[in-house]
Amino acid sequence: MALRPISYTRANTPAEAVQMGAVSTPGEAAARVQFLGGGTQLLDLAKLDVIRPERLVDITRITDPVMTGIRRDANGLRLGALVTMREAAEHPDVMRDYPVMSESLWMGASQQIRNMGRLGGNVLQRTRCSYYRDTQWRCNKREPGSGCDALEGHNRWHAVLGTSETCIASYPGDWAVSLVALGATVDVLGQDGPRTMPFSDLHRDPGETPHLETNLRPGELITSFFVPAGPWTRRSLYVKVRDRASYEFGLATVACALDLDGEIVRAARLGLGGPVTRPWRLTGVEAALVGLPLNEANAAAAAELAFVGALPREHNAFRIPLAKATIVRALMAAKEIRP
């Protein structure tokens, strides 16, 4: 493979980064300009020739406290996009008041990657679909319009919710599942200034354009995340079912947070990862639990609502009953937490 030139610039402020990352050449693809934080996946995909960045904007020298700090007040928790996974996972406020977030970060990567990976990059990680990562196969996410060999191929690791006839790749992250469960928001900065969106709106279903994975505009930079306070955040946990216990992507994962009055559910917050194309909020399951005593029968009945409209393929249908059982397991385990 021939070497390709890549330009490198280093930003000292968020505004500098946005300016350096601006797509200025007519017709220039936004994907060719990449912000460089931990770089744990960007460099991996570039070496595989899956992505071909032409310009890297290094943001690791930014010291703006909005991007580098963790702050908690009565309204909630704000985490900067340049905070490392390790810093967030080990932060006392996160561990005590938002344990589901800490646990999802611990389970999401090896210690070495947690030391390097930044929160902003973590939520933007690309699928581990083998057809996406191997350039000999057709992949609409990698080359729009080329086709999807996963549809009729080996699809054990692929999604059953949010899919389309152009893409069934699953979203691989863990921390994002806790963010969507807790109703987080994300702050971004672009050429048009700052804006805030619900975290649930950050990622897109594949539809007819699976190469467009988020609703970020070209050149926009994630600056921070805000997680609102609530009576459910302390009674929360993350359950990850995988083929092996260490450093493996989830077959089914559930972020669960509960507010209980005795055994009666006042509120539930549930996020699903694994057989989904993006971080998935289980609003139907949440609504079905409110006002009921939390027991295995009610949890199982509510979990049945999680996969209405699911489209399993030849090898991944087993993930539906597995995920339903994981929802029940998470709910019953969260019930036992004494906040």
Side-chain angles (χ1 to χ4, degrees), residues 3 29 42 75 78 98 127 131 161 175 180 191 242 250 262 278 281-282 284 317 330:
L3 295 176
L42 187 154
N75 296 316
R78 185 169 298 281
Y98 300 83
T127 182
Y131 297 96
L161 285 172
W175 190 58
V180 79
Q191 290 290 301
R242 41 193 166 176
R278 56 178 171 80
R281 179 79 178 264
L282 295 172

Side-chain angles (χ1 to χ4, degrees), residues 69 96 156 183 185 229 310:
R96 182 187 63 248
R156 180 177 186 266
T185 59

Side-chain angles (χ1 to χ4, degrees), residues 252-270:
T253 68
V254 174
C256 178
L258 291 175
D259 178 25
L260 299 179
D261 180 8
E263 291 200 350
I264 304 300
V265 178
R266 283 193 291 229
R269 299 290 185 271
L270 292 163

Side-chain angles (χ1 to χ4, degrees), residues 52-305:
R52 299 176 180 181
E54 295 177 358
R55 193 192 323 165
L56 296 180
V57 180
D58 188 338
I59 58 176
T60 59
R61 300 299 177 92
I62 293 175
T63 58
D64 187 307
V66 171
M67 291 194 66
T68 60
I70 299 176
R71 304 191 310 279
R72 176 183 173 273
D73 60 27
N75 296 316
L77 184 72
R78 185 169 298 281
L79 305 102
L82 284 177
V83 171
T84 67
M85 297 172 67
R86 178 188 60 79
E87 289 170 333
E90 296 178 357
H91 195 279
D93 289 341
V94 179
M95 295 177 69
R96 182 187 63 248
D97 298 326
Y98 300 83
V100 62
M101 298 172 64
S102 178
E103 292 174 11
S104 66
L105 288 164
W106 279 113
M107 297 181 194
S110 67
Q111 183 64 53
Q112 294 92 332
I113 291 178
R114 288 196 300 271
N115 287 338
M116 290 292 295
R118 313 298 177 112
L119 298 183
N122 180 269
V123 300
L124 298 178
Q125 61 185 293
R126 311 298 294 275
T127 182
R128 262 61 180 189
C129 172
S130 57
Y131 297 96
Y132 168 74
R133 294 171 62 88
D134 189 336
T135 57
Q136 70 176 312
W137 301 106
R138 296 181 304 156
C139 174
N140 288 317
K141 190 179 288 291
R142 189 182 65 247
E143 296 182 14
S146 63
C148 175
D149 280 333
L151 292 173
E152 303 301 330
H154 185 71
N155 41 51
R156 180 177 186 266
W157 281 97
H158 291 74
V160 301
L161 285 172
T163 61
S164 71
E165 286 303 310
T166 64
C167 183
I168 59 172
S170 62
Y171 176 81
D174 292 285
W175 190 58
V177 179
S178 70
L179 289 178
V180 79
L182 295 178
T185 59
V186 56
D187 295 314
V188 301
L189 180 65
Q191 290 290 301
D192 297 327
R195 67 185 179 108
T196 300
M197 72 175 92
F199 184 79
S200 57
D201 290 345
L202 176 63
H203 297 88
R204 299 163 53 121
D205 286 333
E208 297 299 314
T209 55
H211 60 292
L212 301 176
E213 297 182 335
T214 75
N215 286 310
L216 291 174
R217 298 164 187 163
E220 278 192 323
L221 175 70
I222 293 178
T223 56
S224 67
F225 305 89
F226 179 74
V227 185
W232 44 78
T233 62
R234 284 198 173 188
R235 183 179 256 130
S236 68
L237 52 72
Y238 192 70
V239 175
K240 185 172 185 176
V241 177
R242 41 193 166 176
D243 283 331
R244 59 186 184 191
S246 178
Y247 194 45
E248 179 64 278
F249 300 104
L251 290 168
T253 68
V254 174
C256 178
L258 291 175
D259 178 25
L260 299 179
D261 180 8
E263 291 200 350
I264 304 300
V265 178
R266 283 193 291 229
R269 299 290 185 271
L270 292 163
L272 176 68
V276 291
T277 56
R278 56 178 171 80
W280 203 268
R281 179 79 178 264
L282 295 172
T283 54
V285 179
E286 295 172 359
L289 289 167
V290 173
L292 297 178
L294 184 55
N295 53 46
E296 288 203 15
N298 288 335
E304 289 296 319
L305 302 174

